[in-house]
Amino acid sequence: MKRLLTGNEAIAHGAWEAGVAFASAYPGTPSSEILANVARYKEIKSEWAPNEKVALEAAIGASLGGVRSIAAMKHVGVNVAADPLFTYAYMGVSGGMVLISADEPGQHSSQNEQDNRWYAVSAKLPMFEPSNSQECRDMLAEAYDISEKYDAPVLMRVTTRICHSKSIVDTSDRKEVAAKPYKKQPEKNLMVPHYARMRRAVVEQRMNDLAEYTEVSPFNYIEKGGKIGVIASGMCYHFAREVFGDDVTYLKLGFTNPLPSGLLAKFYDMVDEVYIIEENDPYIENWVKAQGYSCKGKDTLPPFGEMTPDVIRKAVRGEELPVIDYDRGLVVPRPPTLCAGCPHRGFFYELSKLKNVAISGDIGCYTLGFAPPYNAMDTCLCMGGAFSVAHGMQEAFDHSGQNVRAIGVLGDSTFFHTGINSLMEIAYNGSKAISVILDNRITGMTGHQENPGSGRLLGGDPAPVMKIMDIVKALGFKHVFEVNPNDIKAMKKTFADALALDEASVIVTVWPCPLKRMDEEERGLFGNPFTTRCVVDQDKCIGCKLCIKCGCPALSMNRAIKKAEIDAPQCVGCDVCVQICPKQAIAKEVK
Amino acid sequence: MTKSILLVGVGGQGTILASKLLTIGLMQSGYDVKMSEIHGMSQRGGSVSSQVRYGKRVESPVIELGGADILISFEKMEALRWLEYLRKDGKAVVNDYQINPMPVVSGVADYSDKIGDELAAKVADITFVKAFDEAMALGNPKVLNIVLLGTIVKMMNLTDIDWNAIIAAEVKKNFIELNQKALARGLELV
C-alpha cells in the first residue's frame, strides 16, 4: 500500500512490519514522533523512558529477553545513552535491536551539531543511513536481519530532513518474529573484564564480516552518469540529485559502517573527479582520503549547516538562482515565546527582578526565559545540568568571595531525566545553591509527551504520579517550598525566603501547562483552570505598559488609543497581568 | 518539471493541515510528492513553513532560495520574511492579516505599515486576500487555512482533483461541510 509518510512515521511502520515487540525512547526533536507513531501499533509495547540511557537499557533488556526492540533519541540523547551502547556492542543481541539516532544538521532545535556516525565507528556498530521515508522502512527491515545475523546492535542515523519530510512509501503487513527462548550465557552477556576481553575479539571479527556485507549490501550502489562523481548518503543524496540530476555518476551509500572500499575503487575507475556531499563532519571524506583517493569535500562545500540544493549549487557550480531583492529592514524577528497562560511567566517575571544572582537554566520551554523581556537565564548546557552547574558556580563564588547566589532552574521532565542526579549533588555536597523545579506536569517543548510526573503512560493509560515534593524531601533538603507560579506575590516571597537562607533550598512551582490534556480529576486539582479570561477596562488603563513587561503574547498596546489590549482567544486567565496592573484596570470574566 | 509550493505563517495558524491535505490530493492524482516542515521550537508562536514539491520524480523535499513557484503566506510580515525563496517570476498569495511578533508586542520594534506596499512593489503576480474575514464569515476563524488552500488549488491549476472527497476523508465529521465551503470560497478569491 502506498502512503505519504514522514521518516519518523516510516520508521514506526517499518518497526511494526519487522516484528518489533518493544520500543522505548525519551522525546527530543527531531526524533519525538517515532515513538508516538510506534505506540499506535498494539503489537508493540511502547514506552517513554525517563531518559535516553534508560530507554536504551530497556530496549537492550527486551533484546536479551528474546524479542526485537527499538530505541529512538535525538543526537545528544545518544551521549546520555553512550555507556550501555558501547558495551552492548560487545555483548551482541538475542532479539534484533536497532538504535535510531536523529541528528540535526543546521541545529534547528538543538544545542550542537554533533555527527553521531562517529558513534558507529567508535562503538563498532553496523550503521544505516536512509535518504527518504521508503528507505527508512526498507533499511529497518534489513537492519533487524543484520542485527540478528551478525549478532550486533545496529545504529540507524537519520537527520531532521529525513525525520520531518514526507515522501511516498510502499508498505506491507507485519511479519511476526518468534521470541528467542531465554538462555543464560554469562560469557556473552556479563561484561566483567575476563569475558569482555574475549568479546573484544568477537567484535573485531564481526567488523571483518560486515566489511564483506557492505560491498554487496543492496543499499550501497553506483548510479552511472558522466565523468564527474558524487558520493553521498542520507538526504544529501537527494539534495545532490536535485542539482546534478543524471549528469554525474553517484556512489550512493546507505550502509555506512563499515564503508565499502571495493565499491569505492570501482567507482573511482569510472570517474575523473569526485565531490563528496555530506552534512556535519567529513565522515565519508576522511574514509575516501584514507583509501588514498583525492576528492573535493569540505574544502569546497561549507563545513557546517545543511547541504540544501542552493548551498551545493553555489559551492560546486558557483551558481545562484535569481532572488527577489526587498527591504529586509521591514522584517522583525519572530522568536518563539512562552504561550499565553504559561505558568513559567509569573516565575520568570519575578526571577528577572533579582539582583546578584547567576541563573543556571536547562532544556525545555523554560529556556525561553533567557529572552527579553525576562533575560533571566545566564547559562544552559545540557539536559539535567542546571543544578550541578549551579552547584559548581556557587562553590566557585563562595571560594572566591563573590557575592553571587546561584539559582538552578529546570522542568519536571528534565528533573526526572537527569536533574534528579544533579539535585543529589547539592543535597550531598551541600552548597547553598537554590534549585527550582518548574512542574507544569508535562514534557512541553517537544510536543506534550507524558513523563513519570504527568499521570499517564505513552498510550494514554493512567500511571502513578511521582510526586516531586516527596522525592525532594526524601533527598534530605531542609528547606523545600511549593508555590503557585501564577501568584506573583507568593513567588516573590518564596525567592526572598530562599535567598535569606545561608544553605540550600528547593523551590517547586506547580501549575499545569495550559495546553495539557487533562481529565476531570486533574482539572479539579487546580480548580478547573483556563476557563476564564482577562479584559482591560479602557477607562481605568493609564497606558503605563507595566503589564506588557510580563511578556505575554496575548497582551499588546493599542497605539492609537495608548491603552493595553488583551487578545481574547489567546487569554486563559492566568492572572499575572491582573496582579501587575497598578490601577486594577484588568478584570476577569468567564470564557 | 517539479513544482514548489511554499506555505508560511505563524505557529498555530494551521499551515500543517493545509499542506497535509495538499500533499494527499497531489499523491492521489498520481504525482510524486515530498513535503518538509521544521517542528520543534516553532510551535511556540514562531515563524513556520511547510514546503511542498510535486512532479514526475521529486528529489529534494526542501525548496531552495529563489525556487518556489508560489508563496502562500498566512500572515503579512511572514510573506516578506520568506520572499527570497520565491522565484523571481513566482506568484504570491498573502493573507492580509497581522500577528505581532514579540519584539513588536513588547514595544522594542515596529510592525511597519509599508509591508504590503513593499510586497506589491516586488512581486509582479501577487494577490492579497482577507482569509481571516472570509473564515469568520463562514463561522470559524480556524478555517482560514482551508480558504488559503483553495487559493493554492486555483493558482496551481489543481482544480481537477476531488478536494471535497479528500476533506471528507481527512477532517472530523462535524467540520467537513465547513471546510468544503472554505475551500470553495478560496477558489473564488483568486
Side-chain angles (χ1 to χ4, degrees):
Chain A
M1 183 183 173
K2 282 200 192 307
R3 309 151 188 253
L4 199 56
L5 300 178
T6 62
N8 284 348
E9 289 165 342
I11 288 168
H13 203 282
W16 176 76
E17 286 184 44
V20 168
F22 181 86
S24 186
Y26 184 80
T29 311
S31 72
S32 310
E33 302 83 9
I34 295 173
L35 255 275
N37 281 289
V38 169
R40 292 177 180 181
Y41 306 111
K42 61 178 181 354
E43 298 92 337
I44 306 177
K45 180 75 169 66
S46 309
E47 301 176 350
W48 290 126
N51 67 40
E52 294 88 351
K53 177 174 180 283
V54 174
L56 180 60
E57 288 158 349
I60 287 170
S63 162
L64 286 174
V67 303
R68 288 186 166 187
S69 70
I70 189 167
M73 52 200 64
K74 72 182 291 172
H75 59 338
V76 288
V78 181
N79 301 338
V80 179
D83 193 0
L85 180 65
F86 276 68
T87 304
Y88 199 49
Y90 277 34
M91 289 159 60
V93 303
S94 176
M97 206 218 75
V98 177
L99 168 63
I100 310 287
S101 167
D103 294 9
E104 269 239 303
Q107 293 177 254
H108 297 282
S109 304
S110 295
Q111 60 271 49
N112 76 24
E113 201 188 38
Q114 69 185 51
D115 192 327
N116 277 9
R117 292 178 295 182
W118 300 116
Y119 270 116
V121 177
S122 192
K124 304 181 191 302
L125 301 170
M127 171 166 62
F128 287 89
E129 281 186 75
S131 63
N132 53 47
S133 300
Q134 182 71 57
E135 285 190 349
C136 285
R137 178 248 176 214
D138 297 349
M139 285 186 185
L140 205 49
E142 178 88 347
Y144 281 100
D145 290 343
I146 291 293
S147 176
E148 290 172 359
K149 184 174 175 194
Y150 293 88
D151 195 18
V154 173
L155 184 72
M156 182 182 272
R157 187 254 195 171
V158 289
T159 58
T160 308
R161 296 294 184 179
I162 301 292
C163 294
H164 287 175
S165 293
K166 284 188 178 181
S167 55
I168 297 171
V169 185
D170 208 350
T171 59
S172 13
D173 285 333
R174 179 174 170 91
K175 193 185 81 194
E176 283 299 341
V177 179
K180 303 223 168 65
Y182 184 66
K183 218 167 52 184
K184 185 167 169 157
Q185 31 184 2
E187 68 289 352
K188 182 171 185 292
N189 293 334
L190 198 153
M191 288 299 97
V192 292
H194 174 65
Y195 291 147
R197 280 192 293 270
M198 297 195 302
R199 293 299 300 177
R200 177 70 185 83
V202 174
V203 168
E204 213 56 31
Q205 182 56 48
R206 185 174 74 203
M207 289 310 285
N208 291 338
D209 296 344
L210 284 163
E212 289 174 23
Y213 165 77
T214 191
E215 301 290 350
V216 296
S217 169
F219 298 109
N220 291 335
Y221 54 87
I222 293 168
E223 285 179 335
K224 201 169 174 337
K227 297 299 274 182
I228 292 174
V230 169
I231 306 178
S233 67
M235 183 56 84
C236 288
Y237 165 72
H238 287 296
F239 286 162
R241 281 206 64 101
E242 184 73 32
V243 176
F244 304 114
D246 294 328
D247 297 343
V248 302
T249 297
Y250 294 93
L251 174 56
K252 158 77 162 83
L253 298 171
F255 183 79
T256 51
N257 192 49
L259 284 155
S261 303
L263 197 60
L264 183 70
K266 200 172 144 199
F267 174 73
Y268 264 85
D269 282 344
M270 297 165 72
V271 295
D272 294 336
E273 60 171 329
V274 169
Y275 289 89
I276 294 169
I277 313 286
E278 65 184 321
E279 289 165 339
N280 292 7
D281 292 344
Y283 173 80
I284 297 170
E285 183 178 345
N286 286 4
W287 165 70
V288 168
K289 286 178 173 166
Q291 309 288 310
Y293 298 104
S294 65
C295 61
K296 292 196 173 95
K298 295 292 183 188
D299 57 346
T300 304
L301 290 126
F304 52 83
E306 295 187 293
M307 297 302 121
T308 48
D310 39 5
V311 172
I312 298 172
R313 201 183 297 279
K314 190 175 173 187
V316 175
R317 292 195 161 159
E319 295 169 4
E320 292 178 74
L321 298 181
V323 295
I324 297 169
D325 190 30
Y326 62 95
D327 183 356
R328 283 158 202 263
L330 296 176
V331 180
V332 177
R334 194 183 291 278
T337 54
L338 297 176
C339 304
C342 175
H344 304 330
R345 177 162 290 104
F347 168 77
F348 279 114
Y349 179 76
E350 284 301 326
L351 180 65
S352 67
K353 294 180 184 170
L354 301 183
K355 302 274 186 283
N356 298 326
V357 293
I359 303 166
S360 168
D362 216 300
I363 295 174
C365 291
Y366 47 86
T367 316
L368 297 172
F370 87 92
Y374 318 108
N375 305 305
M377 194 168 286
D378 303 356
T379 177
C380 170
L381 178 70
C382 64
M383 284 293 291
F387 296 158
S388 18
V389 169
H391 170 74
M393 285 170 129
Q394 192 66 64
E395 296 281 33
F397 298 149
D398 292 349
H399 185 76
S400 57
Q402 299 180 67
N403 180 30
V404 184
R405 195 67 179 266
I407 303 179
V409 178
L410 49 69
D412 49 332
S413 190
T414 309
F415 175 70
F416 293 117
H417 181 277
T418 39
I420 191 166
N421 303 72
S422 309
L423 196 57
M424 283 179 203
E425 164 82 348
I426 297 177
Y428 176 54
N429 285 308
S431 69
K432 63 176 188 189
I434 297 169
S435 305
V436 187
I437 301 162
L438 304 171
D439 180 9
N440 65 353
R441 301 175 70 85
I442 200 74
T443 316
M445 183 59 98
T446 46
H448 281 217
Q449 293 81 11
E450 307 294 341
N451 69 49
S454 73
R456 281 179 197 282
L457 298 170
L458 167 56
D461 289 339
V465 177
M466 316 260 155
K467 295 194 176 68
I468 293 176
M469 280 298 281
D470 292 354
I471 295 171
V472 171
K473 284 176 185 164
L475 293 178
F477 285 96
K478 272 190 283 176
H479 309 287
V480 185
F481 307 93
E482 186 177 289
V483 60
N484 174 354
N486 292 334
D487 182 343
I488 60 174
K489 249 190 204 155
M491 202 63 250
K492 189 188 185 102
K493 181 175 183 309
T494 306
F495 280 132
D497 291 347
L499 286 165
L501 294 164
D502 201 34
E503 51 189 348
S505 63
V506 180
I507 300 170
V508 185
T509 73
V510 185
W511 198 258
C513 170
L515 305 178
K516 185 182 177 182
R517 186 173 63 104
M518 292 190 282
D519 58 21
E520 216 159 291
E521 191 190 339
E522 192 173 5
R523 273 198 297 272
L525 277 180
F526 297 96
N528 207 18
F530 317 127
T531 50
T532 59
R533 67 179 166 217
C534 301
V535 268
V536 178
D537 182 337
Q538 304 287 5
D539 295 334
K540 287 189 189 168
C541 176
I542 55 168
C544 69
K545 297 185 190 169
L546 276 179
C547 58
I548 303 292
K549 288 186 182 156
C550 77
C552 177
L555 265 166
S556 61
M557 281 303 286
N558 182 328
R559 291 186 187 202
I561 55 170
K562 294 199 171 68
K563 306 272 185 189
E565 276 179 348
I566 294 173
D567 181 37
Q570 280 193 74
C571 181
V572 293
C574 75
D575 284 8
V576 168
C577 60
V578 175
Q579 299 163 74
I580 292 169
C581 178
K583 292 287 169 190
Q584 289 80 47
I586 304 176
K588 291 282 292 282
E589 63 180 37
V590 173
K591 243 176 137 81
Chain B
M1 188 64 193
T2 302
K3 295 279 184 192
S4 302
I5 302 173
L6 179 59
L7 299 92
V8 303
V10 178
Q13 278 195 298
T15 51
I16 288 177
L17 177 66
S19 56
K20 181 184 170 190
L21 296 178
L22 182 61
T23 52
I24 290 171
L26 291 165
M27 183 181 77
Q28 287 182 2
S29 58
Y31 289 108
D32 187 18
V33 187
K34 288 188 179 176
M35 179 182 75
S36 188
E37 288 162 1
I38 293 296
H39 315 190
M41 297 187 79
S42 52
Q43 65 183 293
R44 306 283 168 249
S47 169
V48 294
S49 72
S50 280
Q51 318 193 5
V52 176
R53 307 193 70 223
Y54 65 100
K56 200 158 176 278
R57 173 178 168 166
V58 181
E59 298 291 349
S60 167
V62 179
I63 299 172
E64 55 192 303
L65 288 169
D69 294 283
I70 185 168
L71 170 68
I72 307 291
S73 186
F74 285 44
E75 199 272 353
K76 217 163 40 174
M77 190 189 286
E78 292 310 308
L80 208 54
R81 189 188 314 282
W82 291 90
L83 199 55
E84 60 186 346
Y85 283 86
L86 186 62
R87 260 172 51 175
K88 212 150 184 183
D89 58 351
K91 306 170 189 175
V93 175
V94 178
N95 182 22
D96 194 359
Y97 187 70
Q98 174 173 341
I99 300 176
N100 288 335
M102 190 43 75
V104 173
V105 171
S106 57
V108 297
D110 280 324
Y111 196 114
S112 168
D113 53 14
K114 296 194 185 103
I115 287 177
D117 294 343
E118 178 70 1
L119 285 165
K122 298 297 164 68
V123 185
D125 188 346
I126 189 166
T127 311
F128 290 91
V129 295
K130 295 264 188 197
F132 181 82
D133 296 347
E134 296 292 345
M136 284 295 272
L138 291 165
N140 188 334
K142 285 192 173 165
V143 293
L144 80 89
N145 59 347
I146 307 303
V147 173
L148 289 167
L149 175 63
T151 67
I152 301 173
V153 167
K154 182 74 172 291
M155 302 282 279
M156 297 304 288
N157 296 319
L158 297 168
T159 43
D160 288 348
I161 297 169
D162 189 352
W163 296 101
N164 282 338
I166 290 159
I167 288 170
E170 297 295 326
V171 171
K172 276 190 193 144
K173 209 176 161 203
N174 292 348
F175 295 97
I176 292 172
E177 202 190 328
L178 174 68
N179 279 281
Q180 288 171 340
K181 279 185 186 162
L183 188 101
R185 187 67 193 119
L187 291 171
E188 294 167 0
L189 290 176
V190 289

